[in-house]
Every structure is written in structure tokens, then in C-alpha cells.
Amino acid sequence: RAGHNREPSHEGLCGGQLNPADTFPSFQHHSVCPALCTTKCSSAHSCEYCIQSKRIISAENEVEANKLVNNYRFGFRKWKSHVTERPFEDRSEVVKELYSELKVIKPHTGHLITCGNIAYLFLFGWWVSLAYFLVSMLMFITVIGLPYGRLCLKLSCYFLWPFGKSIHEVLRCCEQAPDCECNVEEADDNSPVLLPSPTEMPIPDFSGQPQQTPYWHRFSTYAWLLLGYPPLVVVHSLACFLSWILVFTIPVSKMNARTIRVILLLPPEDVSRQGCETRALLCCYHAANWYYYKFTVDGINVFAVNLLPLVIVAMVIGYIDRENQYASSEVKFAIAICSIIPLSYYIGMGIASISAQSNFAVGAVVNASFGSITELTFYITALLRGHRAGNPCLQEVVKAALTGTLLGCILFIPGICMIIGGLRHSEQTFNSRSTGVSSALLFISVGGVFAPTLFSKAYGNLVCDACTNSSGGNGTSNSSGPFICHNCHYDLVIIFFSILVRPLVYTVSALLPIAYIIGLIFTLKTHSHIYNIRVGERQETSHHGAVVHWSRWRSLVILIMATVLTSVCADLVTEHIQPILNQPNISQYFIGVTVLAMVPEIPEIVNGIQFALQNNISLSLEVGICIAVQVCMLQIPILVLFNSFYDVGFVLLFSDLHLWASIFSVILVNYIFMDGKCDYFQGTALVINYFILLALYFYAPSPAGC
């Protein structure tokens, strides 16, 4: 298809016309008949098979197409929707509004009394206005600062309710336009600074207007810069920071930033007198815009940007406040675990950018090396700390986190995407053929990972700490009747473990990556017709025609830095996790399967929801399945390999709860994926079952000895 805004109909090989759904702007997908269907469909069933067996994904340019090839076909994570800048003129009016500067006067027919504007009055307007009033009194006292005092009084009224008003800069029209009849010297100093916002087009931006009086030759200038400007900078900076953190009030942040940079540094007569030619400096109509969740800074979502300072905070309080004088271990743990969220987003952006600008081999190496770096860094750090401290509980926490990631990606991510997508679209269809490949890999993954556990339960010795019968005798008495045993577990004697279990673990860890590679060959080579990626005809088809957010070298540097910072934050998490694990009312299993497992996956949950909202449920489902496959086929074998070189006591044997919860989840999700269709009810079933399993973990006792 030729671009996103065009809505062509495709003449399928089966003779029918297929109208693609309006999906995520980065790439479209719709079902068409595969190459094997070369004749008219003989029945509705065969045509439905044709429709579900092949999907065309349209990329905007070659860079985006490379990203899809190296990331999507590989089954690695879909971290970022765009690695290139989309032409601004092609964006919707809603998105253009997000990036516009507040100096353009536009026709406005809506209401100015909105919930966002009223919230501004109570959150920002009153105290910013009060600050201007106090500064104006201060400037009046100095006498030489009278012009700035009058300006602050007018700005005090403006910032109390700035909506629908505008601040203008007077241009030296008589010098720029000789035919101008205005007399600047006779202009009234009391002319209003707050002009009603007209409904004309944007006023031209003139530059280089001459100054009648040298700005730096006035005593009032120095009085203003020493007494009036600094407190207002503090006030505006605070308002700018708070409104930026709230995201949806970013227009308020823009308004305060522009005031600091431009308005407060102009001579007061340039904003307090009206000449025959003016230009708008500031004009705002709404304090909040709900679409700012789409706002990006250099290709990074604003939420990830706002969370990035948590990394610095976590390192400062984690390594300086060793005695927990200013922050408790619980607070340090919470900040450190949350700081991993933006780092994982930056790692994903780096992976996607390098893959999109590189060939197939480089993209494969980068994805394989850094695709699971966030989780692996935490797991290895926890195992090392537990081994050094002689604390086997951290090993159980790692296993719980692995299982929690598996359950969350199998049940919660697809389920929540089905619910949100189903509420907007009554029924959504997905490529059952490609999803079937992922589901088969999921079955192989879970079967392989839990094979040593099943083997140990079949041939290991069940040992219990204490047994009593119904009559109250101990286990050594000759009393008959049922016995009640406590703390039972399968005892793996050294000989049994060394001769049988350990070789089985190594065998499984070698076979799982092989199965993963076979799956890649299946989708990349022998059955690549399942995915058909095309570059839009109206878009540039070369690297030079697409402007990437990050270059390869910049992506590599950021990727390495984010990886190092992730390891630092993971070290802080494991250092301060023990007080959390010692909570008597919370099972250590529950902490592992929830907080430690799902927090690093928050960017993936957001991506999946975005795809579902755009009716691209196929990607939403594969986001979760691909992570689950990676956990079993890449992350766990890497942990086993690491343990073989540096023995940290990691044994690939899981508890019964992990075993049966994972098997049940795989069976359930494959049953849901059978027909290639989904709705919010099926998503609800997955999410409800996920919460049921979480309830089991919440009430389950902590591992023995922990």
C-alpha cells in the first residue's frame, strides 16, 4: 500500500477486495490471500484460511522496514513504534498541537472554562500571580524599578487566568517601516499588555528590532536582574517542573519556560506599549491536553523521560546514605526498581535504532546480546549477592521472578490488550498461523524448562522434617493411621543430582536455544511468506530519505550506558530487597512474581496496549508470547551457562506451584488462540486467571528456610 493516509482496496488473489483496518501508523497489517491460493476461493472456509495465513505489514521507509525485519520477524520485543522522525506535515492536527509553540494566535471557538483550566487556577495560577504581585511591590519600593513594577502587576493578572489572552512584543515599526504614521514616543505607557486574542492568522516573526535606549545602560535593568528576576525564575521553574512531571499539563510548562527565556528579559516598554506592529510572544488556550501521553522528546516517550531522574536519585541515596539515615531500605528498593523502567525503554530504543540502520547479521547480534539484558542483569546480580551472603532465598526469588514473567506475559499482557482493544473494537482478528508458531515454541519452552523438575519429582526421595499420625505418635512409632508430615521436599542426594539431574539440565539448556533457532529459520527462510513487509510507495526507500532519531554510534553509546546503569540499579534492588522479603504478611513468592517480574515489563505492556487500541492485536499478543519464549529459551539457558562457569547455586528445579501454574497458563492461552479471533471476554478470562494465580502466590508460604 502507498502510505498511511491512503485507503486503497486490495484485489486479493482469491478475488475479493480487502479493506485494511486503520492500525498503528508505523506499520499497517491486513490479511490477504497467500501465494498458494492462486485461484478463486471455492468456499468461505478456504477464503478464511487464506485471509488468516498471510499478513502484509507496510513500513513507511526502508529504515522502519529493517527494524521490522530484524525485530518483528525475529520474535524479539517491539520496544519502539518509530525509530525515524515522521514528517511533521503528515501528522494529525492533534499531534501537531502537542509540538506547537505558544506564540501563535489561532481562531478559537471552544470554551475557555474547562476542567484543565480550572485545575490550573488552583494548582498554579494563584501562587504564580501572588509572586508577581509581591515582586511588583518590591520594584515599586526601589523607585528606579517602576517600569518593571507596572509590568509585574499586569503579568500578575495575566498568569492568574492566561487563557484566551496574549502577550505581545512591540516592534520598532517607525524604523522598520518608514511609511508608518505611529509615534512611538507619544505612545501611552499604560496601554494594556494583555491584548484580547484575535482570530487572525499567525503574526509574522520579525527579528533584529533596534533598541531606542540601550538596555544595559539603565539602572532599572540591574535592579530588575538583581531583585525582581531571580525570585520569578524560581517560581516559574517550580511551576515548569511540576507541570512537566504531570505530563498532561505540559502547555503550562511551555508557558512558564517561554516567560523565563523571553518575556522577562525584554525591556518593559516593549511589552507594555502597543505600537502599530506587534508580534505575539505568548498565547495559551488550554492548560491541559490528554493527548500528551503521545509526546516524545528525541524519540523517547515523555513518561520515560520523566522517570529518568529516578536513576540518579537511586544511586545517590543508595551509595551515599549507607546507614539509611535519610531513606529506609524499602524506599531505596522502590526507587531502584522504578528506575529500571526508563532504562529498559532506552535500551529498547537503542536496540531498535541499531537494528534499523544495520544489516541482518548486526541486528541479530544486537538483539541477541541486549534483548534480555535488563532481566538478566537483575537475575545474575541477585544470584551473586545471595551466593556471597550465603542466602539461598535470593535464588528462590529469582525463580519466582522468572515464573512471574512467564505468567504475566502469557496471561496478563495478552489479556489486558484483548480487553482494551475489545472495548474499542468489538472483535479483533489476528494471524493464527504466526501465533501458532509462537504457541508451539511456548509449549516446547515450558516443557523443557520444567523437565528437570518433573524428573526430580518422579525419581527423587521425598523427605519430611517431622511426621505425626492421627494418634499423636511420631513417625518412628508402630502406630497405624494416617500421618501428617511437615516441610516435605524432594531430596536430591549428591550422586543422584550429579549423575542424572545436572546432565539433564545441561541437555535441556542446549536444546532450548536450538529449538529457538529452528523457529527463527522457519519464520525467516522456509516460511517467510507468513510475514510480508513492504515499504510504502510514497515514502522514501533509502536510509538518506529517513531521518533517524538516534545514529548508530549514539545508539551504541546510550545502549552501553543504560546497560551499566541497569546493573547499578539492579545491585541496589538486591541490596535492599531483604527487608521486603522479611515482611511476615507477604510471601516471598508473591514479591517475586509481581514486583520483580512485571516492573521491567511495563514498557512492553504499554506497547501492547497501544497496538491493541490501533486494532493491531496480532502484535499485542506476540509482545507477551515472545517475552515468555525468550525467558525459557534464552534467559534460563544463559543463567545455567553462567552457573556452570561461576557456581552461584542456581539449580533449575522449581516448586510445585511454579510448575502447575505455568503449565495451566500455557494450555489456557493456546486454547484462547485457536480460532484466530478475540474479544474483551476472552481477555477477561485470561486476566481473571492471572489474578487467581497471584492470589495463590499471595497466600502461599515462603520457601523453606526463608
Side-chain angles (χ1 to χ4, degrees):
R1 52 183 293 172
H4 173 61
N5 295 324
R6 182 180 175 185
E7 295 291 343
S9 61
H10 289 265
E11 187 71 22
L13 296 176
C14 294
Q17 288 188 344
L18 301 172
N19 295 322
D22 185 16
T23 58
F24 202 73
S26 174
F27 40 87
Q28 295 27 283
H29 86 280
H30 49 274
S31 300
V32 297
C33 298
L36 59 89
C37 194
T38 57
T39 59
K40 300 284 185 179
C41 287
S42 58
S43 64
H45 175 75
S46 60
C47 191
E48 182 179 359
Y49 169 80
C50 293
I51 289 176
Q52 292 186 359
S53 62
K54 188 177 180 181
R55 173 177 46 179
I56 292 179
I57 305 172
S58 176
E60 296 178 347
N61 50 64
E62 187 177 347
V63 178
E64 293 291 341
N66 285 340
K67 185 205 72 173
L68 296 181
V69 170
N70 291 337
N71 285 355
Y72 183 82
R73 277 177 149 186
F74 256 102
F76 291 106
R77 308 178 180 193
K78 275 63 65 179
W79 294 82
K80 189 69 177 61
S81 59
H82 279 86
V83 295
T84 58
E85 295 182 7
R86 300 178 61 198
F88 191 75
E89 59 274 9
D90 294 341
R91 310 295 290 271
S92 64
E93 293 299 324
V94 173
V95 177
K96 289 181 181 179
E97 180 68 22
L98 303 182
Y99 297 93
S100 63
E101 296 186 19
L102 301 180
K103 63 177 182 179
V104 178
I105 300 175
K106 301 177 298 184
H108 182 73
T109 57
H111 297 286
L112 295 177
I113 301 179
T114 62
C115 295
N117 292 353
I118 295 175
Y120 164 85
L121 178 64
F122 290 100
L123 293 177
F124 304 100
W126 69 271
W127 55 273
V128 174
S129 176
L130 179 61
Y132 270 99
F133 178 78
L134 296 178
V135 171
S136 68
M137 296 297 102
L138 177 62
M139 299 309 297
F140 284 143
I141 293 174
T142 62
V143 180
I144 60 175
L146 287 177
Y148 287 99
R150 290 192 291 267
L151 175 63
C152 289
L153 276 180
K154 296 171 183 178
L155 291 179
S156 176
C157 299
Y158 176 82
F159 283 104
L160 184 65
W161 187 267
F163 312 110
K165 306 173 184 177
S166 59
I167 298 179
H168 290 253
E169 178 186 6
V170 176
L171 301 176
R172 304 297 182 179
C173 56
C174 294
E175 298 184 27
Q176 292 186 5
D179 296 334
C180 180
E181 298 179 356
C182 68
N183 187 352
V184 177
E185 295 179 354
E186 297 179 359
D188 185 11
D189 284 347
N190 296 323
S191 60
V193 62
L194 310 181
L195 303 177
S197 298
T199 58
E200 287 85 23
M201 299 306 292
I203 297 173
D205 188 6
F206 296 96
S207 60
Q209 62 266 21
Q211 299 287 343
Q212 285 186 338
T213 304
Y215 181 70
W216 296 104
H217 291 181
R218 311 175 188 177
F219 289 106
S220 61
T221 298
Y222 296 96
W224 167 251
L225 294 178
L226 291 176
L227 299 177
Y229 184 70
L232 290 179
V233 169
V234 174
V235 170
H236 279 297
S237 298
L238 180 60
C240 184
F241 173 77
L242 295 177
S243 56
W244 181 273
I245 291 297
L246 295 176
V247 175
F248 301 105
T249 56
I250 286 181
V252 178
S253 180
K254 292 181 179 180
M255 181 172 60
N256 284 273
R258 186 164 181 80
T259 302
I260 296 174
R261 297 194 318 265
V262 179
I263 297 175
L264 296 183
L265 294 178
L266 287 174
E269 65 270 14
D270 284 358
V271 291
S272 63
R273 300 189 324 185
Q274 180 181 3
C276 58
E277 288 292 343
T278 61
R279 67 172 180 178
L281 292 178
L282 188 61
C283 183
C284 183
Y285 296 99
H286 295 287
N289 189 335
W290 301 114
Y291 287 97
Y292 265 100
Y293 72 90
K294 298 181 177 181
F295 191 76
T296 60
V297 180
D298 199 17
I300 298 295
N301 187 270
V302 64
F303 287 101
V305 174
N306 287 349
L307 289 175
L308 197 59
L310 287 179
V311 179
I312 300 176
V313 175
M315 291 189 296
V316 170
I317 66 174
Y319 290 110
I320 295 179
D321 184 23
R322 289 288 188 178
E323 303 298 328
N324 294 340
Q325 296 180 355
Y326 303 101
S328 63
S329 293
E330 290 82 357
V331 173
K332 294 179 181 179
F333 171 82
I335 296 177
I337 196 71
C338 291
S339 64
I340 295 178
I341 299 175
L343 291 175
S344 64
Y345 198 100
Y346 274 84
I347 290 174
M349 181 67 173
I351 294 173
S353 298
I354 295 177
S355 299
Q357 302 173 73
S358 306
N359 56 29
F360 179 84
V362 175
V365 171
V366 171
N367 275 286
S369 302
F370 294 93
S372 301
I373 194 67
T374 303
E375 296 85 350
L376 286 175
T377 301
F378 168 73
Y379 298 150
I380 293 176
T381 304
L383 291 175
L384 288 173
R385 185 173 294 276
H387 176 68
R388 293 167 184 169
N391 184 7
C393 297
L394 288 180
Q395 180 186 156
E396 295 300 325
V397 170
V398 170
K399 294 178 183 178
L402 288 168
T403 308
T405 304
L406 192 64
L407 298 179
C409 295
I410 293 176
L411 297 179
F412 182 74
I413 294 181
I416 197 68
C417 293
M418 287 182 184
I419 293 175
I420 296 178
L423 292 177
R424 172 172 291 190
H425 314 279
S426 60
E427 185 178 78
Q428 295 178 293
T429 60
F430 52 88
N431 188 347
S432 59
R433 186 75 183 277
S434 61
T435 306
V437 175
S438 301
S439 299
L441 288 175
L442 195 58
F443 263 117
I444 299 172
S445 302
V446 173
V449 166
F450 290 100
T453 303
L454 293 172
F455 183 82
S456 64
K457 294 184 181 304
Y459 298 103
N461 297 321
L462 184 62
V463 178
C464 300
D465 292 345
C467 294
T468 58
N469 56 28
S470 58
S471 61
N474 56 33
T476 60
S477 64
N478 296 325
S479 304
S480 60
F483 284 86
I484 301 176
C485 299
H486 303 278
N487 297 330
C488 298
H489 61 279
Y490 286 93
D491 184 27
L492 298 178
V493 296
I494 298 178
I495 298 177
F496 177 76
F497 179 78
S498 301
I499 297 179
L500 298 177
V501 178
R502 181 177 294 173
L504 176 61
V505 171
Y506 291 155
T507 302
V508 168
S509 300
L511 290 176
L512 288 177
I514 293 175
Y516 189 76
I517 294 173
I518 294 175
L520 295 182
I521 295 175
F522 180 84
T523 57
L524 290 172
K525 300 296 182 183
T526 61
H527 289 68
S528 59
H529 60 271
I530 296 177
Y531 308 97
N532 188 3
I533 300 176
R534 294 183 181 177
V535 179
E537 296 174 6
R538 291 185 179 179
Q539 305 293 337
E540 297 289 342
T541 59
S542 66
H543 285 43
H544 303 287
V547 180
V548 296
H549 291 295
W550 296 357
S551 65
R552 277 176 290 191
W553 283 108
R554 181 184 179 187
S555 301
L556 182 61
V557 172
I558 293 177
L559 186 58
I560 294 174
M561 291 178 59
T563 302
V564 173
L565 292 176
T566 300
S567 64
V568 173
C569 293
D571 180 69
L572 293 174
V573 170
T574 56
E575 179 181 354
H576 299 284
I577 195 177
Q578 198 58 46
I580 307 295
L581 299 179
N582 292 336
Q583 295 291 331
N585 299 326
I586 302 178
S587 172
Q588 294 185 9
Y589 284 139
F590 181 77
I591 297 174
V593 299
T594 53
V595 179
L596 302 180
M598 296 307 295
V599 168
E601 309 303 335
I602 288 179
E604 298 310 316
I605 298 175
V606 175
N607 284 345
I609 291 175
Q610 283 185 322
F611 296 143
L613 287 174
Q614 300 296 333
N615 201 21
N616 199 345
I617 194 64
S618 294
L619 279 182
S620 299
L621 300 181
E622 292 189 15
V623 163
I625 294 178
C626 291
I627 300 175
V629 171
Q630 274 193 341
V631 169
C632 296
M633 292 192 166
L634 292 180
Q635 295 180 16
I636 290 179
I638 290 175
L639 292 177
V640 173
L641 179 64
F642 175 79
N643 186 79
S644 65
F645 286 98
Y646 187 86
D647 190 3
V648 292
F650 180 73
V651 181
L652 196 60
L653 297 176
F654 294 84
S655 67
D656 291 351
L657 186 55
H658 295 331
L659 171 66
W660 301 119
S662 301
I663 294 176
F664 167 76
S665 300
V666 172
I667 295 175
L668 177 62
V669 78
N670 276 275
Y671 175 77
I672 295 293
F673 289 168
M674 283 174 54
D675 58 351
K677 301 177 182 178
C678 65
D679 48 45
Y680 75 90
F681 176 76
Q682 292 176 325
T684 303
L686 293 178
V687 173
I688 291 297
N689 278 279
Y690 175 71
F691 284 118
I692 290 175
L693 293 177
L694 290 188
L696 292 178
Y697 281 105
F698 182 81
Y699 293 106
S702 297
C706 298

